Amino acid sequence: MQWNDYRLVLAVARARKLPEAADALGLTVSTMFRRIERIEDLLEEQVFIRERGIYTPNEIGAELCRAAERMEQETFAAERKVLGTSSLICGTLTVTSSEVLGAFFLSRHMTELSTRHPGLKVQLHSGNEVLSLANRQADVALRPARPTDSNLFGRKLSDIRWAVYGDAQGRARFATSSDFSGERFIGFSGNPLAERMSAIHRAEFPDGTVSTTTNSLILTAASAQQGRGLAILPMILGEQWPGLFRLSEPIEKGVGELWIVCHEGMRNNSRVRIAFDALIAGVEQDRTLFVGDADQLKPHD
């Protein structure tokens, strides 16, 4: 078997379906099917249990996957060793973050890097999926907590404070009051961040009622702007969303943290270092968007 055969078996085992595995490897489904048949002919054994289009590794397939994962990790380790001290500012730099940070922070502070460094291609990835720094799915990550993996290097950039936001009518109603008793709130559900938001709501506004929930902070902000209720949002989002107005001072309890993280072996890579520099400077520029200015409410046009 060739290394590409091991990669193919591992891709199919991870995706469980041929179309998804084919997309991951940049192959056609028919090519995938033929290569699986060739591997099984070579081994004179089946590798997958096939049931209704789902491919599940059998005992032999599982052993091949374990071998493939070991090869994969050795490959990634070799790449990090080679690239870790590279002084060249060229190639691809992949930076990952949450949807909110991607849209309201990364997009403003990372796109200029490719202009300043023509040989550099910047890829921004945002979403709830956590990309692996060890497997080089991403080079740099923005994360809302201190890294616990000893193989990762990180630096805290800022606290992330939250506040209550509403539409123009809410701005008029709460111009001189911050009593949200009996008010309708738009809740957030569906992932670990929702637990933090719910805890803030219970602690700060126990008399408010949650009338609607969403699984996206972007959707929560849009609903609040449309007058569907008040929303507790991270200030980096609420301060920049058109038509939203901050109705409370920054909430001191339940403060999150913003960390910039890379793999320990990549911390001296020049591409990674310029990304760190750009994002550290970006946070300094946006400090009030993360932690706020409690002296006044901040309306937007």
Side-chain angles (χ1 to χ4, degrees):
M1 290 179 61
Q2 304 291 322
W3 161 232
N4 282 339
D5 295 330
Y6 285 93
R7 287 182 66 225
L8 183 139
V9 171
L10 184 58
V12 174
R14 286 172 171 169
R16 301 291 182 175
K17 294 183 179 180
L18 288 192
E20 286 81 351
D23 287 343
L25 296 179
L27 300 174
T28 65
V29 173
S30 60
T31 299
M32 295 284 290
F33 187 81
R34 288 196 302 270
R35 286 181 57 179
I36 291 173
E37 283 192 327
R38 187 186 67 80
I39 291 169
E40 292 182 333
D41 287 344
L42 178 67
L43 298 174
E44 297 183 347
E45 295 281 358
Q46 277 201 324
V47 175
F48 293 100
I49 300 169
R50 300 159 172 83
E51 185 176 358
R52 296 180 180 179
I54 304 298
Y55 282 64
T56 304
N58 59 17
E59 185 175 347
I60 294 173
E63 183 57 39
L64 292 176
C65 287
R66 286 190 286 270
E69 286 174 337
R70 290 193 295 271
M71 296 178 193
E72 184 181 62
Q73 291 305 314
E74 286 296 323
T75 300
F76 291 142
E79 288 181 355
R80 287 195 300 270
K81 189 170 183 179
V82 171
L83 297 175
T85 57
S86 173
S87 60
L88 299 176
I89 303 178
C90 61
T92 301
L93 171 71
T94 303
V95 184
T96 181
S97 73
S98 68
E99 184 181 31
V100 168
L101 288 171
F104 292 91
F105 179 69
L106 279 185
S107 61
R108 291 188 294 108
H109 296 290
M110 288 301 297
T111 53
E112 292 183 2
L113 283 185
S114 56
T115 302
R116 296 203 300 268
H117 305 283
L120 185 67
K121 178 181 178 182
V122 178
Q123 292 183 339
L124 303 182
H125 182 281
S126 69
N128 294 327
E129 175 189 6
V130 178
L131 298 188
S132 172
L133 296 171
N135 292 354
R136 299 208 59 239
Q137 292 178 320
D139 300 301
V140 176
L142 288 177
R143 294 185 175 168
R146 178 192 295 270
T148 57
D149 187 338
S150 60
N151 293 315
L152 300 182
F153 168 77
R155 171 173 171 172
K156 181 181 175 181
L157 299 182
S158 177
D159 288 329
I160 303 176
R161 291 206 171 101
W162 297 52
V164 178
Y165 291 86
D167 63 1
Q169 290 185 356
R171 180 195 185 194
R173 288 170 52 213
F174 295 102
T176 58
S177 171
S178 57
D179 182 6
F180 302 110
S181 300
E183 291 296 323
R184 293 183 302 116
F185 281 82
I186 302 164
F188 185 56
S189 62
N191 65 44
L193 181 60
E195 298 178 8
R196 182 185 304 171
M197 184 173 177
S198 296
I200 293 175
H201 187 276
R202 290 192 300 270
E204 299 293 325
F205 314 107
D207 297 326
T209 60
V210 176
S211 58
T212 307
T213 62
T214 78
N215 66 345
S216 162
L217 287 173
I218 297 292
L219 183 54
T220 300
S223 299
Q225 186 271 326
Q226 294 166 13
R228 308 303 181 189
L230 306 183
I232 304 171
L233 298 170
M235 296 184 63
I236 189 69
L237 169 60
E239 296 294 289
Q240 299 183 78
W241 192 277
L244 277 184
F245 299 86
R246 177 150 62 91
L247 309 180
S248 75
E249 293 185 352
I251 297 170
E252 297 294 332
K253 296 180 180 179
V255 170
E257 296 182 346
L258 178 65
W259 285 75
I260 185 171
V261 183
C262 70
H263 193 279
E264 176 67 33
M266 294 291 288
R267 63 185 294 187
N268 293 320
N269 177 276
S270 290
R271 295 195 304 269
V272 170
R273 289 172 62 184
I274 65 168
F276 267 58
D277 291 344
L279 294 176
I280 289 169
V283 168
E284 287 303 314
Q285 180 180 332
D286 289 353
R287 183 68 60 186
T288 58
L289 296 180
F290 282 103
V291 298
D293 176 1
D295 294 336
Q296 58 181 351
L297 301 183
K298 294 191 173 182
H300 321 294
D301 295 327

